Amino acid sequence: MVKDLREFLRRYEKDHPEDVIHIEKELNTAYECTAIARHFEELNKFPLIMFENVRTMNGEKSAFTCAINILGDRRKLAYAIDSTFEDVAIEWRRRADGSRIKPTVVAKSEAPCKENLLIGDRANLFKFPALKHHAMDPGHYLTAGMFACYDPDTGIDNSALHRGFISGPREIRCLLTPFTHAAFNLKKYEERGETMKFVYCVGHHPAVLMG
């Protein structure tokens, strides 16, 4: 079975329809979607909310659905790794410590992430339903992006969750806070006078975010 975000959403709704809400009303990505999520949070409820009709930061209707609370509670965390409500923490620790899987190298011609490519001026981040959560946010953010880079000395890769501030149609800014592995790697590249290559990935299976 293919494990990607689309399949997770489809399977979870099939198995737990009572915990999934589709909102068809047109909403703005600035504050309105997160206000609804905050409403449920105040009720101590964390349903998977699918916003089907949202306006992006430039006022256009997004072609994409915006999802909130994909990993909003323990039940969804368990579902993402085929565990149970009671055992999810134990199962997560077991996999993290003792069940590492060697990466599989996939050719570009076979990689799903290469099926649709928008390069150069064709790329436009403003088309994504990125949210502006709070009044002091400088703009709209991709909130579940995985930032991956390599240590230049060891070649060991590191991947971590970093909010991505969309500061332009082809620019995402991430704050690499001190004492994170990404910041340590960046410092090494800066000392060498080299550019650090990295990948910023969104839309992966929720189990990746848990990793």
Side-chain angles (χ1 to χ4, degrees):
M1 178 186 297
V2 175
K3 281 203 168 185
D4 58 20
L5 179 58
R6 291 186 182 92
E7 181 62 18
F8 172 84
L9 295 174
R10 186 193 69 79
R11 285 184 57 214
Y12 188 81
E13 182 167 14
K14 179 182 177 181
D15 294 342
H16 298 285
E18 76 289 349
D19 195 39
V20 178
I21 298 174
H22 289 267
I23 296 181
E24 303 288 345
K25 180 180 178 179
E26 182 178 300
L27 295 171
N28 196 301
T29 48
Y31 310 129
E32 293 185 348
C33 296
T34 49
I36 291 175
R38 177 65 181 272
H39 166 74
F40 283 104
E41 181 181 352
E42 291 173 347
L43 298 175
N44 199 31
K45 295 180 179 180
F46 304 91
L48 198 166
I49 311 173
M50 310 282 282
F51 298 96
E52 307 288 356
N53 186 10
V54 295
R55 292 282 173 182
T56 64
M57 64 187 76
N58 60 357
E60 297 179 0
K61 182 177 179 179
S62 177
F64 305 98
T65 297
C66 178
I68 289 182
N69 285 341
I70 291 175
L71 292 174
D73 57 19
R74 191 182 182 96
R75 177 163 65 174
K76 298 180 191 64
L77 291 167
Y79 194 88
I81 58 173
D82 300 316
S83 185
T84 64
F85 184 91
E86 294 78 12
D87 295 335
V88 58
I90 297 172
E91 176 63 15
W92 180 88
R93 182 63 181 267
R94 182 189 70 80
R95 295 191 188 192
D97 287 350
S99 301
R100 297 185 179 183
I101 301 173
K102 186 177 180 180
T104 300
V105 178
V106 180
K108 288 184 179 180
S109 59
E110 301 175 358
C113 64
K114 299 290 185 179
E115 290 177 355
N116 297 293
L117 295 177
L118 297 175
I119 301 173
D121 291 341
R122 294 182 62 205
N124 186 357
L125 295 168
F126 292 161
K127 292 185 177 296
F128 287 105
L131 300 178
K132 187 173 184 179
H133 288 249
H134 311 291
M136 294 185 69
D137 280 343
H140 292 69
Y141 280 83
L142 297 171
T143 55
M146 298 297 293
F147 186 102
C149 59
Y150 286 87
D151 183 311
D153 295 329
T154 65
I156 296 175
D157 61 287
N158 179 75
S159 185
L161 274 170
H162 286 275
R163 286 208 310 166
F165 168 43
I166 297 179
S167 57
R170 284 166 290 280
E171 181 174 296
I172 296 176
R173 298 183 183 184
C174 296
L175 176 62
L176 307 185
T177 55
F179 306 111
T180 62
H181 288 96
F184 290 148
N185 289 343
L186 178 60
K187 186 173 186 296
K188 289 183 178 182
Y189 282 99
E190 288 177 336
E191 291 173 347
R192 295 172 179 223
E194 299 176 0
T195 299
M196 182 175 77
K197 294 182 179 180
F198 69 94
V199 171
Y200 192 74
C201 171
V202 295
H204 215 316
H205 190 278
V208 174
L209 307 182
M210 294 174 65

